Amino acid sequence: MVLEMKVPSPGESITEVEIAEWLVQDGDYVEKDQAIAEVDSDKATLELPAEASGVITLKAEEGDAVAVGEVVCLIDTSAAKPAGDTPKKEEKEEPKPELPKQEKKEVEQPAAETQTYASGTASPAAKKVLVEKGIDPKDVKGTGKDGRITKQDAVNAVPSMGTPGSASRTSSRTKLSMLRRKVAERLVSVKNETAMLTTFNEVDMSAIFQLRDQYKEEFKSKHNVGLGFMSFFTKAVVRALEQFPAVNSMIDGKEMVSYDFCDVSIAVSGPKGLMVPVVRNAENLSFRGIEAEIKRLAIRVRDGEITVDEMTGGTFTITNGGVFGSMLSTPIINPPQSAILGMHNIVERPIVRDGAIAIAPIMYVALSYDHRIIDGKESVGFLVAVKEALENPQELLMDGNVKKALEL
C-alpha cells in the first residue's frame, strides 16, 4: 500500500508552507513518527513526521512552496525494512587507484559545478549551531543536497583563528525564508496602513535595581528562575493598560475591539529571527509566574519548538532592544495590535533629584502607537503610568509588600 503524505495545517490562516530541508533522501526507509522534513510557515519552522513506516518517495524539492493539503511524499508501507547496510561487491573488488589525483578530480568535478539557490544555505538546525559558534555560513562548505549546509557540517565547522591573507570581494544570493518574507510584508503594511507615531520618556531604574539586588538570590533559590526586568515591565504595562483601555484595543474594519484581558507579546530573538510568543492573561500572573512563562517561551524559541498558537493573539507587545545595546528606537507595531513598548539599554546619567545633581541608571522607553485609535493624551498618559510604576514598584506594583509580591 502506498500512503500519500499531505501537508498538515500548521494553524489558522496559513495556506502554504515551504520545504526548508528534507531530513531523509528519496528511497530511504523511514519509521513512523520519524522527522522527515523541516517546513517553514510564515510564522514558525515545524518538523514533518512520517505518518507510517516504509520506503519514501519525495514529491517536492527543498525550497518549494506547497499548499496545505498537497502531497509532498509517498510512503510504500508494504516495503520491508532493510536488514542492514552490506558492502557492495564492486567496493570490495575495487583495485587500489594508481592515479588518485586524477580520479579524485573526476569524482569531485560534477559536484563543484552544481549551484542552486540552496548552495551555501544553512538548514534551520545548522543555522542554530553556527550562531552559537559565531561562525559565518559563508565560511562553511555544505555537503547537503545542492551544497546546502547540514547540521553535521555546522557541528564539524571550526571557528577561524585569524584573518585570510588576501581580501575578498565576493557576494552571495540566498532565498529569503517564508517566515522572513512574511515579516517583511507585515512591516511594510504597518507603515503603509497605520498612522504610527512614537512618544518617548525616561525611567530612573534605581528602585528596581535596589529590589533586585536585595531579593534576586532568594527569589532564584526559591523559584528556580531569575528576577529580571521583564516581570517589572510586564506588571507596569498591565497596570497602564487597565488605566488606558484604548491602548489594549484594535481596529477591525469600522469597529474598535477592546479586551478586558492582557495577552502580552514578548519579542524574543531566536535562530530564525525575531519571534513574539505571548504571555497569556498576564494580569493574573505573579512576578514568579511572569518570569517562569517568559523563560519557558524563550527556551522554546531558542530550540525551534515554538508553535503558531503560542505566537498568536497578543493584545500588546514589549520589545527590548537594550539587550543589543540600543539607546533609543522607534519600534514598529505588531499588527493587528495598536501599540508596542520599546525598552532600551540602561546607562548611568546625571539627573536632578531633590534639587541636586545625582547619577542614576536611566533607561529611555518608547511607545509606538496607532494614532487612528489612540490619541496623544492616552499614549502619553500610558507611558507616564509605566514610568511611575517602574520608579515606585514597591507601592504601585507590589502593594507595599515586597516579600508577598515575590512569594518569598
Side-chain angles (χ1 to χ4, degrees):
M1 173 182 175
V2 176
L3 172 70
E4 292 184 338
M5 265 199 62
K6 300 178 180 179
V7 177
S9 174
E12 293 183 8
S13 77
I14 297 178
T15 59
E16 69 174 11
V17 298
E18 187 175 282
I19 305 296
E21 180 183 13
W22 281 110
L23 305 178
V24 296
Q25 295 183 358
D26 195 68
D28 282 357
Y29 186 90
V30 298
E31 299 283 356
K32 183 179 180 182
D33 296 327
Q34 174 186 344
I36 60 174
E38 288 182 343
V39 297
D40 282 342
S41 72
D42 57 14
K43 295 182 179 178
T45 297
L46 308 169
E47 285 189 343
L48 187 65
E51 296 177 3
S53 299
V55 173
I56 192 168
T57 301
L58 308 184
K59 306 298 287 184
E61 299 287 338
E62 290 182 354
D64 285 355
V66 292
V68 171
E70 185 176 336
V71 175
V72 289
C73 65
L74 306 176
I75 299 179
D76 185 358
T77 59
S78 61
K81 182 177 181 180
D85 293 331
T86 56
K88 294 182 180 179
K89 184 177 181 181
E90 59 268 25
E91 291 178 345
K92 287 184 177 180
E93 298 177 354
E94 184 179 359
K96 197 170 184 178
E98 296 180 4
L99 299 172
K101 290 185 179 179
Q102 292 180 356
E103 291 190 4
K104 184 179 288 185
K105 183 177 180 181
E106 291 175 2
V107 172
E108 292 181 353
Q109 187 64 28
E113 293 176 351
T114 302
Q115 292 289 327
T116 71
Y117 74 89
S119 301
T121 300
S123 71
K127 187 178 295 182
K128 176 185 172 184
V129 175
L130 293 178
V131 169
E132 291 175 350
K133 287 187 172 185
I135 299 176
D136 192 324
K138 293 186 294 185
D139 298 330
V140 180
K141 183 177 180 181
T143 61
K145 186 175 181 180
D146 294 337
R148 181 180 288 272
I149 299 172
T150 66
K151 182 179 180 180
Q152 193 59 43
D153 294 333
V155 170
N156 295 335
V158 178
S160 173
M161 299 301 290
T163 304
S166 58
S168 174
R169 291 178 58 82
T170 61
S171 62
S172 62
R173 184 183 296 269
T174 57
K175 184 178 180 181
L176 292 175
S177 68
M178 182 175 288
L179 173 62
R180 177 55 60 186
R181 296 199 303 270
K182 186 64 176 180
V183 168
E185 291 172 5
R186 293 181 69 187
L187 293 179
V188 172
S189 68
V190 169
K191 297 289 287 185
N192 292 337
E193 297 172 10
T194 65
M196 195 179 81
L197 292 179
T198 305
T199 184
F200 306 93
N201 215 315
E202 62 180 15
V203 177
D204 182 351
M205 301 288 287
S206 299
I208 292 178
F209 269 51
Q210 292 169 4
L211 286 172
R212 292 183 71 245
D213 289 343
Q214 184 174 353
Y215 296 104
K216 65 180 180 181
E217 295 301 330
E218 186 178 357
F219 186 88
K220 185 172 183 178
S221 176
K222 182 168 183 179
H223 303 307
N224 196 32
V225 66
L227 179 60
F229 294 118
M230 289 306 302
S231 54
F232 288 94
F233 272 82
T234 303
K235 283 281 188 180
V237 161
V238 167
R239 175 178 176 271
L241 289 175
E242 291 171 348
Q243 295 181 31
F244 299 91
V247 183
N248 201 37
S249 303
M250 302 178 190
I251 290 181
D252 184 11
K254 296 182 179 180
E255 298 177 331
M256 181 176 77
V257 182
S258 299
Y259 302 94
D260 61 359
F261 55 87
C262 302
D263 283 354
V264 181
S265 303
I266 306 292
V268 178
S269 181
K272 296 286 290 182
L274 198 65
M275 305 287 184
V276 279
V278 181
V279 177
R280 309 285 180 188
N281 290 109
E283 74 279 7
N284 296 330
L285 297 179
S286 63
F287 281 82
R288 176 189 61 82
I290 292 172
E291 292 290 356
E293 181 65 359
I294 291 176
K295 179 181 178 181
R296 183 187 73 84
L297 293 169
I299 290 174
R300 288 180 62 77
V301 168
R302 182 196 66 194
D303 295 343
E305 298 175 351
I306 199 74
T307 65
V308 174
D309 289 341
E310 289 173 311
M311 295 190 294
T312 305
T315 63
F316 184 90
T317 296
I318 301 175
T319 181
N320 185 4
V323 296
F324 304 111
S326 172
M327 181 190 78
L328 195 61
S329 67
T330 55
I332 298 180
I333 297 169
N334 179 21
Q337 298 172 18
S338 298
I340 180 173
L341 178 70
M343 301 166 57
H344 301 91
N345 63 358
I346 301 170
V347 178
E348 288 193 340
R349 292 187 171 94
I351 64 169
V352 177
R353 183 185 291 159
D354 299 325
I357 299 295
I359 302 298
I362 300 296
M363 176 192 286
Y364 294 142
V365 289
L367 179 76
S368 292
Y369 60 98
D370 189 347
H371 207 350
R372 297 177 303 165
I373 193 172
I374 302 170
D375 293 330
K377 179 181 178 181
E378 292 167 321
S379 63
V380 173
F382 176 91
L383 198 55
V384 169
V386 170
K387 170 185 169 69
E388 291 173 344
L390 295 173
E391 293 184 341
N392 189 10
Q394 186 167 340
E395 297 300 324
L396 300 182
L397 300 180
M398 299 176 167
D399 295 325
N401 192 331
V402 178
K403 282 187 167 290
K404 182 180 179 181
L406 298 180
E407 301 174 66
L408 300 177

